[in-house]
Amino acid sequence: MSSLLKKIYDLQNVPSISKHEQIVLGIIAAIDSDDLKIGDKLPSINEMVAEVGYARKTFVKAYNDLKERGLVESKSMKGYFVISNKTNVKLRVALVLFAFHSFQEDFYNTFRKELGEKYHIDIFFHHNNVSLLKTVLENISRKYGMYVVAPIQKEEVSEMLMQFESDKLLVIDRHLKMPKEYSYITQEFENVTYQKLVELSSSIKKHERFVLFYKDNSDYPPDILKAFNRFVEEYDVDGTVLDSYEPNTLKRNTVYFSISDTQLWKVLKDARNMEYRLGKDIGILAHDDNIIKEIAFGGISTISTDFTYMAKKAAFFVKEGNPIQETVPTYLRQRNSL
């Protein structure tokens, strides 16, 4: 303990460093010099108060800061222990997503780049399973400095997320009703999808049928189904909803709207094998844009938000901590397929 205390005392001579920072930087210096190793127990807060003389809340804040950096963890009734020697990490961030779809990979890559190497990101997936999400949230609670979560749109999930302090939680992608102090960067599905379908109505009505692949109990946004049903009813379109695409069932004069890339690739494979011309014999519309859809088959038309923009905004929240409540715009990119 004496070597740790000396490092803290040495920092007391630096007027620009607060008492809280003296403790944090002193412990980091002790880890860097191997005076504190992984598994070592830190002096208790009561011991530190007695030795250094600062207020108890100053040490509580310092130890919590070290926890958020991923250097220290607290064990109930046992105290604080060193768990990492990666002292260059400024903050540990928990990123919770549905799954590693291509568009969420785009989000992650941009998020990672914007934060830089001083931020440690651990990524978790809940696969639209409420029980799994609950387990993930329980396991990561109080272990990270920031939490960025793409939630399942259920009321019970709102209650799960309220265990996190509002200044440390950012809800992304799917909007969820939360108390007004919580931040979000999300997209809207029903109204914007309907509006984009209206913009495409002349192209859709050139064909005889409009098919949406939508599977219940999946991670598909339910508001897309609502938008589809509203559109086909109001614009007198022969609309059909199918769970999935069955190979070799492709029909001419049909527009296929796919939320899942898996369904999309199956349709495109049959279109190639049957020599159907996209935008002529059949129409193709997909949700969520990526570079493959931009170039494949001369370009696939998409309705999509800008996940790169969303990721940049999310990274800024993590770095600056400024509250944000923003609905990200959705874009129609009409290409060769429709």
Side-chain angles (χ1 to χ4, degrees):
M1 185 172 176
S2 58
S3 59
L4 169 60
L5 292 175
K6 183 178 185 306
K7 287 177 170 56
I8 294 174
Y9 294 146
D10 288 344
L11 292 168
Q12 290 178 336
N13 299 319
V14 183
S16 61
I17 299 178
S18 67
K19 293 178 180 179
H20 148 257
E21 290 172 327
Q22 291 170 14
I23 300 161
V24 171
L25 294 176
I27 292 174
I28 286 176
I31 294 173
D32 285 339
S33 64
D34 275 346
D35 289 327
L36 284 174
K37 298 180 175 59
I38 294 175
D40 285 352
K41 182 180 178 181
L42 295 181
S44 71
I45 289 175
N46 289 337
E47 289 173 328
M48 291 293 267
V49 170
E51 291 290 342
V52 182
Y54 294 161
R56 179 181 178 82
K57 65 181 181 180
T58 303
F59 289 99
V60 171
K61 181 180 179 183
Y63 277 27
N64 283 336
D65 191 339
L66 292 163
K67 284 173 62 178
E68 291 175 1
R69 293 176 185 233
L71 296 174
V72 167
E73 74 173 358
S74 59
K75 297 181 180 180
S76 180
M77 307 300 292
K78 293 184 178 179
Y80 294 85
F81 295 82
V82 178
I83 59 170
S84 173
N85 56 12
K86 296 179 180 178
T87 56
N88 62 326
V89 172
K90 185 173 182 179
L91 198 71
R92 289 182 80 209
V93 181
L95 176 62
V96 184
L97 302 175
F98 280 80
F100 220 24
H101 300 306
S102 59
F103 62 91
Q104 293 189 322
E105 183 177 1
D106 290 342
F107 177 95
Y108 172 77
N109 289 335
T110 302
F111 188 62
R112 168 74 280 169
K113 180 180 177 182
E114 290 294 315
L115 286 181
E117 293 304 317
K118 288 192 175 181
Y119 289 80
H120 176 87
I121 303 171
D122 285 332
I123 186 167
F124 306 88
F125 302 106
H126 58 71
H127 302 286
N128 204 51
N129 184 305
V130 173
S131 295
L132 178 56
L133 175 58
K134 182 180 180 181
T135 300
V136 168
L137 295 178
E138 288 175 348
N139 288 340
I140 65 178
S141 179
R142 298 183 297 278
K143 294 181 180 178
Y144 291 84
M146 282 288 182
Y147 301 85
V148 179
V149 181
I152 302 169
Q153 292 173 294
K154 294 184 181 292
E155 185 176 344
E156 60 199 285
V157 174
S158 296
E159 296 175 1
M160 293 178 195
L161 291 177
M162 282 189 282
Q163 70 177 291
F164 300 102
E165 297 173 51
S166 60
D167 60 344
K168 295 181 180 179
L169 175 68
L170 176 67
V171 175
I172 60 165
D173 192 8
R174 310 287 174 90
H175 185 74
L176 195 65
K177 188 174 181 180
M178 296 281 290
K180 61 182 180 180
E181 64 267 24
Y182 282 87
S183 292
Y184 62 80
I185 306 170
T186 54
Q187 55 180 317
E188 197 274 333
F189 291 96
E190 182 176 358
N191 291 325
V192 293
T193 301
Y194 172 80
Q195 291 165 6
K196 302 311 176 186
L197 292 179
V198 170
E199 291 180 38
L200 290 168
S201 59
S202 59
S203 298
I204 293 171
K205 289 175 75 71
K206 288 178 182 178
H207 297 269
E208 296 174 1
R209 286 199 313 153
F210 189 19
V211 174
L212 170 67
F213 298 118
Y214 183 91
K215 188 174 183 178
D216 290 329
N217 300 318
S218 67
D219 62 358
Y220 300 168
D223 285 346
I224 294 178
L225 176 62
K226 294 178 184 178
F228 176 84
N229 287 333
R230 178 181 164 194
F231 171 76
V232 298
E233 179 179 352
E234 294 184 7
Y235 280 78
D236 193 27
V237 172
D238 182 5
T240 303
V241 178
L242 300 175
D243 282 351
S244 61
Y245 176 72
E246 294 296 327
N248 304 313
T249 61
L250 208 61
K251 303 294 183 183
R252 291 181 186 272
N253 297 315
T254 301
V255 176
Y256 295 94
F257 183 13
S258 178
I259 302 171
S260 161
D261 285 354
T262 300
Q263 305 303 320
L264 175 64
W265 306 141
K266 290 179 181 178
V267 171
L268 291 174
K269 180 181 178 181
D270 276 2
R272 182 194 62 190
N273 292 340
M274 299 170 75
E275 298 184 349
Y276 283 176
R277 296 167 299 168
L278 271 60
K280 302 291 184 181
D281 299 316
I282 62 169
I284 301 289
L285 177 63
H287 211 277
D288 298 322
D289 201 38
N290 58 43
I291 192 169
I292 297 175
K293 292 170 187 171
E294 183 179 346
I295 61 178
F297 290 80
I300 305 300
S301 296
T302 62
I303 297 173
S304 178
T305 193
D306 187 337
F307 289 98
T308 297
Y309 174 83
M310 186 185 291
K312 288 181 178 179
K313 284 278 188 174
F316 185 78
F317 172 86
V318 169
K319 290 189 287 188
E320 302 297 328
N322 297 326
I324 183 172
Q325 294 181 338
E326 181 173 343
T327 301
V328 179
T330 296
Y331 302 96
L332 168 63
R333 296 176 173 89
Q334 190 166 7
R335 301 183 178 121
N336 181 65
S337 69
L338 187 60

PDB file of all heavy atoms in Angstrom, residues 125-139 152 154 156-157 160:
ATOM      1  N   PHE A 125     -24.926 -10.043 -28.564  1.00  0.00           N
ATOM      2  CA  PHE A 125     -26.090 -10.209 -29.434  1.00  0.00           C
ATOM      3  C   PHE A 125     -27.235 -10.856 -28.667  1.00  0.00           C
ATOM      4  O   PHE A 125     -27.019 -11.782 -27.876  1.00  0.00           O
ATOM      5  CB  PHE A 125     -25.731 -11.083 -30.638  1.00  0.00           C
ATOM      6  CG  PHE A 125     -24.592 -10.541 -31.460  1.00  0.00           C
ATOM      7  CD1 PHE A 125     -23.335 -11.126 -31.407  1.00  0.00           C
ATOM      8  CD2 PHE A 125     -24.770  -9.429 -32.267  1.00  0.00           C
ATOM      9  CE1 PHE A 125     -22.278 -10.629 -32.145  1.00  0.00           C
ATOM     10  CE2 PHE A 125     -23.718  -8.921 -33.011  1.00  0.00           C
ATOM     11  CZ  PHE A 125     -22.469  -9.514 -32.958  1.00  0.00           C
ATOM     12  N   HIS A 126     -28.441 -10.382 -28.904  1.00  0.00           N
ATOM     13  CA  HIS A 126     -29.601 -10.974 -28.216  1.00  0.00           C
ATOM     14  C   HIS A 126     -30.530 -11.740 -29.153  1.00  0.00           C
ATOM     15  O   HIS A 126     -31.432 -12.447 -28.709  1.00  0.00           O
ATOM     16  CB  HIS A 126     -30.376  -9.906 -27.452  1.00  0.00           C
ATOM     17  CG  HIS A 126     -30.880  -8.760 -28.290  1.00  0.00           C
ATOM     18  ND1 HIS A 126     -31.907  -8.900 -29.207  1.00  0.00           N
ATOM     19  CD2 HIS A 126     -30.522  -7.449 -28.328  1.00  0.00           C
ATOM     20  CE1 HIS A 126     -32.162  -7.723 -29.763  1.00  0.00           C
ATOM     21  NE2 HIS A 126     -31.323  -6.832 -29.262  1.00  0.00           N
ATOM     22  N   HIS A 127     -30.349 -11.603 -30.486  1.00  0.00           N
ATOM     23  CA  HIS A 127     -31.097 -12.385 -31.475  1.00  0.00           C
ATOM     24  C   HIS A 127     -32.613 -12.287 -31.279  1.00  0.00           C
ATOM     25  O   HIS A 127     -33.356 -13.257 -31.473  1.00  0.00           O
ATOM     26  CB  HIS A 127     -30.649 -13.848 -31.452  1.00  0.00           C
ATOM     27  CG  HIS A 127     -29.186 -14.024 -31.709  1.00  0.00           C
ATOM     28  ND1 HIS A 127     -28.629 -13.882 -32.968  1.00  0.00           N
ATOM     29  CD2 HIS A 127     -28.149 -14.295 -30.860  1.00  0.00           C
ATOM     30  CE1 HIS A 127     -27.325 -14.078 -32.893  1.00  0.00           C
ATOM     31  NE2 HIS A 127     -27.003 -14.317 -31.627  1.00  0.00           N
ATOM     32  N   ASN A 128     -33.074 -11.112 -30.876  1.00  0.00           N
ATOM     33  CA  ASN A 128     -34.500 -10.843 -30.699  1.00  0.00           C
ATOM     34  C   ASN A 128     -35.140 -11.750 -29.649  1.00  0.00           C
ATOM     35  O   ASN A 128     -36.338 -12.013 -29.680  1.00  0.00           O
ATOM     36  CB  ASN A 128     -35.252 -10.984 -32.022  1.00  0.00           C
ATOM     37  CG  ASN A 128     -36.539 -10.182 -32.043  1.00  0.00           C
ATOM     38  OD1 ASN A 128     -36.542  -8.991 -31.743  1.00  0.00           O
ATOM     39  ND2 ASN A 128     -37.651 -10.822 -32.382  1.00  0.00           N
ATOM     40  N   ASN A 129     -34.354 -12.223 -28.708  1.00  0.00           N
ATOM     41  CA  ASN A 129     -34.824 -13.107 -27.650  1.00  0.00           C
ATOM     42  C   ASN A 129     -34.807 -12.330 -26.333  1.00  0.00           C
ATOM     43  O   ASN A 129     -33.744 -11.948 -25.836  1.00  0.00           O
ATOM     44  CB  ASN A 129     -33.905 -14.337 -27.564  1.00  0.00           C
ATOM     45  CG  ASN A 129     -34.377 -15.348 -26.546  1.00  0.00           C
ATOM     46  OD1 ASN A 129     -34.577 -15.028 -25.383  1.00  0.00           O
ATOM     47  ND2 ASN A 129     -34.530 -16.589 -26.971  1.00  0.00           N
ATOM     48  N   VAL A 130     -36.000 -12.087 -25.778  1.00  0.00           N
ATOM     49  CA  VAL A 130     -36.103 -11.256 -24.576  1.00  0.00           C
ATOM     50  C   VAL A 130     -35.352 -11.874 -23.400  1.00  0.00           C
ATOM     51  O   VAL A 130     -34.671 -11.175 -22.647  1.00  0.00           O
ATOM     52  CB  VAL A 130     -37.580 -11.016 -24.208  1.00  0.00           C
ATOM     53  CG1 VAL A 130     -37.691 -10.288 -22.869  1.00  0.00           C
ATOM     54  CG2 VAL A 130     -38.278 -10.202 -25.294  1.00  0.00           C
ATOM     55  N   SER A 131     -35.456 -13.185 -23.237  1.00  0.00           N
ATOM     56  CA  SER A 131     -34.763 -13.855 -22.130  1.00  0.00           C
ATOM     57  C   SER A 131     -33.258 -13.719 -22.267  1.00  0.00           C
ATOM     58  O   SER A 131     -32.544 -13.474 -21.284  1.00  0.00           O
ATOM     59  CB  SER A 131     -35.149 -15.335 -22.074  1.00  0.00           C
ATOM     60  OG  SER A 131     -36.521 -15.485 -21.775  1.00  0.00           O
ATOM     61  N   LEU A 132     -32.763 -13.881 -23.504  1.00  0.00           N
ATOM     62  CA  LEU A 132     -31.328 -13.739 -23.738  1.00  0.00           C
ATOM     63  C   LEU A 132     -30.887 -12.302 -23.494  1.00  0.00           C
ATOM     64  O   LEU A 132     -29.825 -12.061 -22.889  1.00  0.00           O
ATOM     65  CB  LEU A 132     -30.985 -14.173 -25.169  1.00  0.00           C
ATOM     66  CG  LEU A 132     -29.521 -14.050 -25.590  1.00  0.00           C
ATOM     67  CD1 LEU A 132     -28.616 -14.823 -24.645  1.00  0.00           C
ATOM     68  CD2 LEU A 132     -29.342 -14.532 -27.025  1.00  0.00           C
ATOM     69  N   LEU A 133     -31.693 -11.341 -23.955  1.00  0.00           N
ATOM     70  CA  LEU A 133     -31.350  -9.938 -23.724  1.00  0.00           C
ATOM     71  C   LEU A 133     -31.290  -9.637 -22.229  1.00  0.00           C
ATOM     72  O   LEU A 133     -30.377  -8.941 -21.760  1.00  0.00           O
ATOM     73  CB  LEU A 133     -32.376  -9.030 -24.403  1.00  0.00           C
ATOM     74  CG  LEU A 133     -32.213  -7.525 -24.150  1.00  0.00           C
ATOM     75  CD1 LEU A 133     -30.846  -7.037 -24.593  1.00  0.00           C
ATOM     76  CD2 LEU A 133     -33.321  -6.754 -24.856  1.00  0.00           C
ATOM     77  N   LYS A 134     -32.243 -10.163 -21.479  1.00  0.00           N
ATOM     78  CA  LYS A 134     -32.250  -9.953 -20.029  1.00  0.00           C
ATOM     79  C   LYS A 134     -30.973 -10.492 -19.397  1.00  0.00           C
ATOM     80  O   LYS A 134     -30.358  -9.833 -18.549  1.00  0.00           O
ATOM     81  CB  LYS A 134     -33.469 -10.633 -19.411  1.00  0.00           C
ATOM     82  CG  LYS A 134     -33.582 -10.428 -17.904  1.00  0.00           C
ATOM     83  CD  LYS A 134     -34.821 -11.122 -17.326  1.00  0.00           C
ATOM     84  CE  LYS A 134     -34.914 -10.901 -15.828  1.00  0.00           C
ATOM     85  NZ  LYS A 134     -36.096 -11.580 -15.246  1.00  0.00           N
ATOM     86  N   THR A 135     -30.554 -11.688 -19.828  1.00  0.00           N
ATOM     87  CA  THR A 135     -29.321 -12.281 -19.300  1.00  0.00           C
ATOM     88  C   THR A 135     -28.106 -11.430 -19.647  1.00  0.00           C
ATOM     89  O   THR A 135     -27.234 -11.193 -18.798  1.00  0.00           O
ATOM     90  CB  THR A 135     -29.143 -13.704 -19.852  1.00  0.00           C
ATOM     91  OG1 THR A 135     -30.250 -14.517 -19.456  1.00  0.00           O
ATOM     92  CG2 THR A 135     -27.852 -14.327 -19.347  1.00  0.00           C
ATOM     93  N   VAL A 136     -28.051 -10.965 -20.893  1.00  0.00           N
ATOM     94  CA  VAL A 136     -26.932 -10.125 -21.325  1.00  0.00           C
ATOM     95  C   VAL A 136     -26.868  -8.856 -20.475  1.00  0.00           C
ATOM     96  O   VAL A 136     -25.802  -8.476 -19.969  1.00  0.00           O
ATOM     97  CB  VAL A 136     -27.064  -9.759 -22.820  1.00  0.00           C
ATOM     98  CG1 VAL A 136     -26.072  -8.654 -23.199  1.00  0.00           C
ATOM     99  CG2 VAL A 136     -26.833 -10.982 -23.697  1.00  0.00           C
ATOM    100  N   LEU A 137     -28.002  -8.191 -20.305  1.00  0.00           N
ATOM    101  CA  LEU A 137     -28.024  -6.938 -19.544  1.00  0.00           C
ATOM    102  C   LEU A 137     -27.646  -7.149 -18.090  1.00  0.00           C
ATOM    103  O   LEU A 137     -26.939  -6.327 -17.488  1.00  0.00           O
ATOM    104  CB  LEU A 137     -29.402  -6.291 -19.647  1.00  0.00           C
ATOM    105  CG  LEU A 137     -29.829  -5.828 -21.050  1.00  0.00           C
ATOM    106  CD1 LEU A 137     -31.235  -5.240 -21.015  1.00  0.00           C
ATOM    107  CD2 LEU A 137     -28.842  -4.821 -21.629  1.00  0.00           C
ATOM    108  N   GLU A 138     -28.093  -8.254 -17.517  1.00  0.00           N
ATOM    109  CA  GLU A 138     -27.723  -8.558 -16.123  1.00  0.00           C
ATOM    110  C   GLU A 138     -26.227  -8.809 -15.996  1.00  0.00           C
ATOM    111  O   GLU A 138     -25.596  -8.397 -15.018  1.00  0.00           O
ATOM    112  CB  GLU A 138     -28.510  -9.772 -15.631  1.00  0.00           C
ATOM    113  CG  GLU A 138     -29.990  -9.481 -15.378  1.00  0.00           C
ATOM    114  CD  GLU A 138     -30.770 -10.736 -15.020  1.00  0.00           C
ATOM    115  OE1 GLU A 138     -30.222 -11.852 -15.185  1.00  0.00           O
ATOM    116  OE2 GLU A 138     -31.939 -10.603 -14.583  1.00  0.00           O
ATOM    117  N   ASN A 139     -25.653  -9.481 -16.989  1.00  0.00           N
ATOM    118  CA  ASN A 139     -24.226  -9.820 -16.931  1.00  0.00           C
ATOM    119  C   ASN A 139     -23.316  -8.612 -17.124  1.00  0.00           C
ATOM    120  O   ASN A 139     -22.193  -8.583 -16.605  1.00  0.00           O
ATOM    121  CB  ASN A 139     -23.895 -10.886 -17.980  1.00  0.00           C
ATOM    122  CG  ASN A 139     -24.443 -12.255 -17.606  1.00  0.00           C
ATOM    123  OD1 ASN A 139     -24.741 -12.519 -16.446  1.00  0.00           O
ATOM    124  ND2 ASN A 139     -24.587 -13.129 -18.589  1.00  0.00           N
ATOM    125  N   ILE A 152     -35.188  -4.759 -28.109  1.00  0.00           N
ATOM    126  CA  ILE A 152     -36.411  -5.375 -28.625  1.00  0.00           C
ATOM    127  C   ILE A 152     -37.552  -4.469 -28.206  1.00  0.00           C
ATOM    128  O   ILE A 152     -37.602  -3.993 -27.074  1.00  0.00           O
ATOM    129  CB  ILE A 152     -36.591  -6.789 -28.039  1.00  0.00           C
ATOM    130  CG1 ILE A 152     -35.371  -7.654 -28.384  1.00  0.00           C
ATOM    131  CG2 ILE A 152     -37.870  -7.441 -28.551  1.00  0.00           C
ATOM    132  CD1 ILE A 152     -35.322  -8.976 -27.637  1.00  0.00           C
ATOM    133  N   LYS A 154     -40.365  -4.061 -26.768  1.00  0.00           N
ATOM    134  CA  LYS A 154     -41.361  -4.571 -25.834  1.00  0.00           C
ATOM    135  C   LYS A 154     -41.270  -3.780 -24.538  1.00  0.00           C
ATOM    136  O   LYS A 154     -40.179  -3.372 -24.123  1.00  0.00           O
ATOM    137  CB  LYS A 154     -41.143  -6.064 -25.567  1.00  0.00           C
ATOM    138  CG  LYS A 154     -41.389  -6.960 -26.788  1.00  0.00           C
ATOM    139  CD  LYS A 154     -41.251  -8.420 -26.430  1.00  0.00           C
ATOM    140  CE  LYS A 154     -41.461  -9.315 -27.641  1.00  0.00           C
ATOM    141  NZ  LYS A 154     -42.845  -9.286 -28.134  1.00  0.00           N
ATOM    142  N   GLU A 156     -41.483  -4.629 -21.475  1.00  0.00           N
ATOM    143  CA  GLU A 156     -40.644  -5.212 -20.433  1.00  0.00           C
ATOM    144  C   GLU A 156     -39.165  -4.886 -20.643  1.00  0.00           C
ATOM    145  O   GLU A 156     -38.389  -4.828 -19.678  1.00  0.00           O
ATOM    146  CB  GLU A 156     -40.840  -6.727 -20.386  1.00  0.00           C
ATOM    147  CG  GLU A 156     -40.478  -7.442 -21.688  1.00  0.00           C
ATOM    148  CD  GLU A 156     -41.096  -8.818 -21.786  1.00  0.00           C
ATOM    149  OE1 GLU A 156     -40.605  -9.735 -21.117  1.00  0.00           O
ATOM    150  OE2 GLU A 156     -42.073  -8.963 -22.537  1.00  0.00           O
ATOM    151  N   VAL A 157     -38.764  -4.648 -21.892  1.00  0.00           N
ATOM    152  CA  VAL A 157     -37.374  -4.301 -22.178  1.00  0.00           C
ATOM    153  C   VAL A 157     -37.070  -2.894 -21.672  1.00  0.00           C
ATOM    154  O   VAL A 157     -35.967  -2.618 -21.203  1.00  0.00           O
ATOM    155  CB  VAL A 157     -37.067  -4.450 -23.682  1.00  0.00           C
ATOM    156  CG1 VAL A 157     -35.661  -3.946 -24.003  1.00  0.00           C
ATOM    157  CG2 VAL A 157     -37.214  -5.909 -24.107  1.00  0.00           C
ATOM    158  N   MET A 160     -36.114  -3.228 -18.193  1.00  0.00           N
ATOM    159  CA  MET A 160     -34.758  -3.780 -18.062  1.00  0.00           C
ATOM    160  C   MET A 160     -33.703  -2.691 -18.233  1.00  0.00           C
ATOM    161  O   MET A 160     -32.706  -2.639 -17.505  1.00  0.00           O
ATOM    162  CB  MET A 160     -34.520  -4.854 -19.121  1.00  0.00           C
ATOM    163  CG  MET A 160     -35.334  -6.105 -18.986  1.00  0.00           C
ATOM    164  SD  MET A 160     -34.957  -7.219 -20.376  1.00  0.00           S
ATOM    165  CE  MET A 160     -36.324  -8.371 -20.271  1.00  0.00           C
TER     166      MET A 160
END
